[in-house]
């Protein structure tokens, strides 16, 4: 297993735009979760871009040493729970109209915000999403 620095560098070599840290990506996930809870008002392309912070964490967890995983897992699980509570599972039907969905283990791609607001809400409604239900 690798250190946080090694994982950041490895994922950057694999195509991530910079050498992220776990704290960077956890903070980005927290910011997205908070935005979804308040009513995400940016557009569909920013939303799909923002979801990638969770992808980075998923990839990193397979590589990181156990100490780092144990340290951060409770925070990520709490954020995941908040995200699930603020979103609706539609198996990605609305989102896939705008972005190719990754594998089924990346569950956050198969949900959309419960409250459809702003540009994102208009786009997802045009793809069949309904406020509060899939």
């Amino acid at each position: 297993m690798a250190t946080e620095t090694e994982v950041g560098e490895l994922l950057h070599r694999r195509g991530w735009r910079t050498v992220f840290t776990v704290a960077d990506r956890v903070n980005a996930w927290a910011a997205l979760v908070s935005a979804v809870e308040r009513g995400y008002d940016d557009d569909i392309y920013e939303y799909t871009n923002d979801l990638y912070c969770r992808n980075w964490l998923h990839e990193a967890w397979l590589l990181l040493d156990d100490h780092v995983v144990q340290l951060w897992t409770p925070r990520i699980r709490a954020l995941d729970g908040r995200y699930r509570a603020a979103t609706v599972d539609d198996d990605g039907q609305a989102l896939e109209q705008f972005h190719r969905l990754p594998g089924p283990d990346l569950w956050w791609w198969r949900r959309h915000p419960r409250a459809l607001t702003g540009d994102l809400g208009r786009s997802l409604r045009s793809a069949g999403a309904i406020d509060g239900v899939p």
Side-chain angles (χ1 to χ4, degrees):
M1 291 298 178
T3 67
E4 188 174 339
T5 302
E6 291 168 341
V7 168
E9 291 168 354
L10 174 63
L11 292 178
H12 177 55
R13 286 193 303 275
R14 287 184 181 176
W16 288 91
R17 67 179 163 83
T18 192
V19 178
F20 292 114
T21 65
V22 174
D24 290 335
R25 300 296 78 198
V26 169
N27 289 338
W29 183 228
L32 176 58
V33 169
S34 292
V36 168
E37 289 170 334
R38 301 190 290 280
Y40 192 96
D41 60 1
D42 219 328
D43 66 31
I44 188 78
Y45 304 105
E46 280 301 312
Y47 181 71
T48 56
N49 185 60
D50 289 347
L51 284 174
Y52 277 97
C53 66
R54 187 62 181 82
N55 288 40
W56 188 95
L57 290 167
H58 180 78
E59 287 185 38
W61 247 234
L62 303 173
L63 305 168
L64 285 164
D65 66 48
D66 290 341
H67 172 72
V68 176
V69 169
Q70 290 171 5
L71 182 68
W72 286 99
T73 293
R75 173 94 168 111
I76 294 167
R77 282 195 179 141
L79 289 167
D80 288 352
R82 286 175 50 199
Y83 183 78
R84 282 187 179 100
T87 58
V88 173
D89 185 348
D90 75 342
D91 199 30
Q93 292 178 27
L95 207 52
E96 75 181 348
Q97 304 300 311
F98 304 94
H99 192 283
R100 187 181 65 78
L101 294 181
D105 54 331
L106 305 183
W107 57 266
W108 49 95
W109 285 92
R110 287 168 169 68
R111 304 184 70 83
H112 67 72
R114 200 170 284 286
L116 298 174
T117 59
D119 287 341
L120 176 66
R122 282 188 288 283
S123 295
L124 291 175
R125 271 194 209 90
S126 77
I130 301 169
D131 281 282
V133 294

